[in-house]
Amino acid sequence: MTTPVQDKPTLSFWQIWNMCFGFMGIQFGFALQNGNVSRIFQTLGANIDEIPILWIAAPLTGLIVQPIVGYFSDRTWGKLGRRRPFFLYGALATTLALCIMPNSPSLWIAAGMLWIMDAAINVTMEPFRALVGDNLPKKQRGMGYAMQSFFIGVGAVVASALPWMMTNWFGISNTAEAGVIPESVTFSFYFGAVVLLIAVLWTIVTTKEYSPEELAKYEDPQVTLAYSNQGHLPYARIGVALLGLGLLVLAAVYVLSLGKDIVFLGGALSVFGGLFLLSNSMQTRGKTQNGFYTVMSDMMSMPSTMKQLAVVQFFSWFALFAMWIYTTPAVTKFHFGSSDVASKAYNDGADWVGVLFAAYNGFSVIAAIIIPLMVKKLGLKVSHMINLLLGAGGMLSFAFISNSDHLIYAMVAIGFVWASVLSLPYAMLSNALPSNKMGVYMGIFNFFIVIPQMLAATILGALVRFVFDGEAIYALSLGGVSYLIAAIAVTRVTYNK
């Protein structure tokens, strides 16, 4: 007869509040990036079909940084604890990047700053997900992720509307001469940098962490044993398939004269294939005691719940990335009738997109309160499916709503799906992960956020250019279809209730 494993002590509402408060600051940086980077790129001379490939820095950085940060944060312990050192260094770097980004003198410097900014945000963000699993007992983890969603919404409401607020409340200009980023955007980034740093420091100062020895007391040895990653893993088969597919895409680019965004897709597939073949070589030679192999083997040994949720995440985040990339060019052209970045109509439309983004984040705050009630009544899967269907309707409606003011109604649906995507998959997943691998598995789970974003960044430009005849509004419709697929996929998920 085995002794039941003791769960961690419950935390008070305010302890959970303080632990998640820093996420509001992170979302300030994230929302400013999502709502304004396409505008900055277009202001600095990017064509509409170049925007996705310029955005590729964001998902690629997350793919690389998050599992590395997760791996090292699982093995870190010092004066600041386990996750908090990464909060601090990531927040300092993000603050610096937010101040530099709107002062970029050229398009390629702006693209480079996006890379740096996203890396810094990822260094801070990934350990926040793991901290919920570290500090909360299983029965409170759902509340912890819902609290994070709440702060994400609160932070993003203000951050997304900042350029509009700077213009309409403080009289700061939202236009500038060609090639110059408007002051309303620049001052918004400065304000966001300050808020981000203060919020993350609040969590660092007010939150304590369990030491590795304390965490070990609460770990179920049977769960740890299940993730020992023993046995031969089929790296070679996957590596050959990815490498072959990548070379095939590159050959098609050469023969059919496709764009540079498709070149990136072929190159990325080839690189990933090479990484799997390298892992196979390490496995064959017994060189497995290193961080790279650990991350690869953990990815190959994911729990079944994580594999099922990967499909849901893939299509959910493809839709989100389509929205972030194309809402500004879609709304400014389809609803405001201008693609001239120096025109008043374009900049009014771009400001309205900021308000729309603020609105969906505002509605996500309300959704974060309502969703736990939905879960109590309907369960995690049905609740998430309903919210994904709402998201599909919201995205598809952009092509049918002619009055830009009425787009605010679509943002209600987007707010619900956003809050749901940020909480319910993690609630289904968290109890399937061992505490000693919480960070690395949260980083690996990010792959299924990043890979669809990379795919969107590489193929959406070609689709808009060749299939949609330059009309960005249809990229949003494709995002709606992607949400429908995610809603179907979530019905197949099994999880430990």
Side-chain angles (χ1 to χ4, degrees), residues 38 42 48 51 324-334 338-339 346 353 472-473:
S38 288
Q42 284 189 285
I48 187 171
I51 292 176
W324 291 332
I325 293 175
Y326 280 110
T327 300
T328 295
V331 169
T332 52
K333 184 176 182 181
F334 188 81
S338 178
S339 298
Y346 175 90
V353 170
I473 194 71

Side-chain angles (χ1 to χ4, degrees), residues 32-33 36-46 50-51 53-58 61 97-119 179-181 185 189:
L32 284 168
Q33 172 184 294
N36 295 280
V37 165
S38 288
R39 180 180 185 176
I40 290 171
F41 285 163
Q42 284 189 285
T43 300
L44 295 174
E50 293 177 323
I51 292 176
I53 197 65
L54 292 169
W55 266 91
I56 198 67
T61 304
L98 283 168
C99 292
I100 297 172
M101 179 69 167
N103 295 295
S104 300
S106 68
L107 177 61
W108 293 108
I109 290 178
M113 285 311 306
L114 173 61
W115 195 300
I116 294 169
M117 186 191 309
D118 206 76
V180 177
I181 297 164
V185 175
F189 273 66

Side-chain angles (χ1 to χ4, degrees), residues 356-400:
L356 293 176
F357 278 24
Y360 89 72
N361 281 290
F363 291 126
S364 76
V365 175
I366 300 171
I369 298 171
I370 295 174
I371 285 174
L373 302 177
M374 292 176 63
V375 170
K376 186 175 181 180
K377 184 75 174 177
L378 303 172
L380 288 168
K381 286 203 304 186
V382 174
S383 298
H384 196 42
M385 182 187 67
I386 290 171
N387 292 324
L388 289 167
L389 291 173
L390 284 173
M395 290 282 278
L396 290 169
S397 71
F398 270 75
F400 299 98

Side-chain angles (χ1 to χ4, degrees), residues 179-418:
V180 177
I181 297 164
E183 288 187 343
S184 60
V185 175
T186 301
F187 284 105
S188 297
F189 273 66
Y190 293 162
F191 184 81
V194 173
V195 172
L196 183 147
L197 187 60
I198 291 173
V200 173
L201 287 175
W202 179 270
T203 290
I204 291 172
V205 170
T206 60
T207 300
K208 295 181 179 180
E209 297 185 72
Y210 289 107
S211 69
E213 294 76 20
E214 289 172 323
L215 280 174
K217 294 190 304 184
Y218 301 113
E219 184 59 88
D220 185 342
Q222 295 302 316
V223 173
T224 304
L225 182 63
Y227 296 93
S228 58
N229 297 331
Q230 297 176 355
H232 184 82
L233 298 171
Y235 296 113
R237 185 172 71 248
I238 297 173
V240 169
L242 288 174
L243 181 59
L245 183 58
L247 294 175
L248 186 63
V249 170
L250 291 173
V253 169
Y254 178 77
V255 173
L256 302 175
S257 299
L258 301 177
K260 58 181 177 291
D261 41 5
I262 307 299
V263 172
F264 181 87
L265 175 61
L269 288 168
S270 301
V271 169
F272 293 146
L275 294 177
F276 275 92
L277 293 175
L278 176 60
S279 300
N280 183 68
S281 174
M282 289 180 173
Q283 179 176 247
T284 302
R285 294 181 291 116
K287 305 293 185 181
T288 59
Q289 302 303 310
N290 59 79
F292 169 78
Y293 187 86
T294 298
V295 171
M296 294 294 289
S297 62
D298 285 340
M299 181 178 65
M300 294 287 286
S301 306
M302 291 185 297
S304 59
T305 299
M306 191 170 175
K307 293 176 184 176
Q308 294 159 353
L309 285 169
V311 180
V312 180
Q313 292 291 83
F314 179 94
F315 288 103
S316 300
W317 284 88
F318 184 93
L320 285 164
F321 207 59
M323 181 182 72
W324 291 332
I325 293 175
Y326 280 110
T327 300
T328 295
V331 169
T332 52
K333 184 176 182 181
F334 188 81
H335 297 92
F336 284 78
S338 178
S339 298
D340 179 4
V341 297
S343 70
K344 185 177 186 303
Y346 175 90
N347 284 285
D348 285 345
D351 282 353
W352 183 238
V353 170
V355 175
L356 293 176
F357 278 24
Y360 89 72
N361 281 290
F363 291 126
S364 76
V365 175
I366 300 171
I369 298 171
I370 295 174
I371 285 174
L373 302 177
M374 292 176 63
V375 170
K376 186 175 181 180
K377 184 75 174 177
L378 303 172
L380 288 168
K381 286 203 304 186
V382 174
S383 298
H384 196 42
M385 182 187 67
I386 290 171
N387 292 324
L388 289 167
L389 291 173
L390 284 173
M395 290 282 278
L396 290 169
S397 71
F398 270 75
F400 299 98
I401 295 175
S402 57
N403 187 330
S404 61
D405 291 343
H406 295 166
L407 291 174
I408 203 77
Y409 301 124
M411 294 299 103
V412 178
I414 300 299
F416 268 80
V417 75
W418 177 232

